[in-house]
Amino acid sequence: LPRRGPPYLTRARPTRPGACSVARVGRVVAARLRLKHGGRRLPLVPPPASGKIPSIAVLPLENLSGDKEQDYFAAGMTDMLTTDLAQIGALRVISRSSVIRYKDIKKTLPEIARELNVDYILEGSVLRSGDRARISAQLIHEPDDRYLWAQAYDRDLSDILGVQSEVARNVVGQIGVALTPQQEGRLAKVRPVNPEAQEALLRGEYGGNPAKAAQYFKQAIQ
C-alpha cells in the first residue's frame, strides 16, 4: 500500500542490494583529532509505553556519486551517525556490525525491521561533490509503515559533524525520547573540522585498503 504522507515521500518500498574492520590505530587518530563529531515534520507517533525502550537501526547510507571509490565516505557518515544515537541511553541502537550486511542483500524495510526487531529504521543517502556534501535522511516507523520525518542537508565538509548531530537530535525528537542535559550538551557541542584531516581519517578507517591505512592516519595527524 502507498505511504500516507506528502507526495515527495510517497513511493514504493525500496529494496537494498546485497566491511572492513576498523583499524585500532584509526580510533586512536579519531580521538586525537577529536572529530566527534530542520526538515519537514509529519505527525508524531505516540510516546513509547512506559518501561519500553524504543529501538532503531541505521541502515548503511547509500552512495549516490556513482563512484565506488567514495563508498568510504558513506560508510563513515553511517558509523558516526550510529555512534551519536548510541550514546543516548533511552534508545536501543542496533550495532553497525549487525546492520552492515543489509548493504549487499535484497531486503525490504519491513523485512529488515522484523529481522532486527526494531521499531524504527533510519535510511538515507550521501552525495559528495568537491568540498560539499548532500546528506538525506528519512525516519520510518515500522509498526505502521510510515515516514515520520525527512530532511536533506547541503553543507560544506567542514560542517559535516554538525549535520550528523542535527540528524540525531531530529531523530530522537520524532521518536519522543527525552535527552539528559549531558546528552543535549554533547550533541550541541560541535565545531568545524579540517576537511583534509576528515578525508584522510575516513579513507584510512573505511577505505578497505589496510596497506594504505597507516599512511592516511599519518596524513590526518599532520
Side-chain angles (χ1 to χ4, degrees):
L1 294 176
R3 295 185 180 283
R4 289 174 296 183
Y8 78 97
L9 290 179
T10 303
R11 57 186 175 87
R13 291 313 295 262
T15 58
R16 304 185 65 85
C20 65
S21 60
V22 176
R24 182 179 179 183
V25 65
R27 303 233 181 254
V28 175
V29 174
R32 293 184 62 177
L33 289 173
R34 300 186 67 81
L35 296 181
K36 296 186 298 183
H37 1 309
R40 180 163 184 173
R41 299 177 182 276
L42 281 70
L44 288 169
V45 297
S50 177
K52 182 181 184 300
I53 298 179
S55 55
I56 186 171
V58 181
L59 297 187
L61 297 178
E62 184 180 0
N63 170 22
L64 295 183
S65 70
D67 180 5
K68 294 290 290 183
E69 292 295 319
Q70 289 196 31
D71 279 356
Y72 73 91
F73 187 77
M77 296 299 98
T78 304
D79 201 19
M80 286 192 291
L81 182 53
T82 302
T83 299
D84 273 348
L85 291 172
Q87 295 180 49
I88 299 169
L91 186 63
R92 182 172 69 89
V93 181
I94 303 301
S95 69
R96 179 176 179 268
S97 60
S98 296
V99 176
I100 189 65
R101 69 180 184 271
Y102 293 105
K103 181 178 184 297
D104 299 315
I105 63 175
K106 292 182 179 180
K107 293 279 186 179
T108 64
L109 296 184
E111 288 176 321
I112 294 173
R114 286 194 299 269
E115 291 179 6
L116 294 175
N117 190 27
V118 294
D119 306 306
Y120 301 89
I121 292 283
L122 184 65
E123 65 170 353
S125 61
V126 297
L127 177 61
R128 180 182 170 184
S129 178
D131 290 333
R132 294 188 65 83
R134 179 180 177 85
I135 298 180
S136 300
Q138 301 90 38
L139 179 66
I140 301 103
H141 185 235
E142 281 308 323
D144 56 12
D145 193 27
R146 67 186 176 105
Y147 282 100
L148 298 180
W149 168 83
Q151 175 68 28
Y153 304 82
D154 287 291
R155 301 285 178 84
D156 289 333
L157 291 181
S158 61
D159 190 36
I160 203 68
L161 302 185
V163 172
Q164 297 288 336
S165 180
E166 190 173 340
V167 171
R169 289 198 301 271
N170 277 311
V171 166
V172 298
Q174 288 295 320
I175 293 176
V177 171
L179 296 175
T180 66
Q182 292 80 7
Q183 291 165 350
E184 276 280 9
R186 183 164 54 240
L187 289 176
K189 189 177 181 181
V190 295
R191 60 188 176 88
V193 298
N194 182 316
E196 293 181 359
Q198 176 83 345
E199 167 81 3
L201 176 65
L202 294 181
R203 282 186 178 275
E205 199 163 1
Y206 304 100
N209 190 336
K212 291 186 177 181
Q215 175 184 338
Y216 285 127
F217 294 143
K218 182 178 179 180
Q219 181 182 342
I221 293 172
Q222 292 173 342

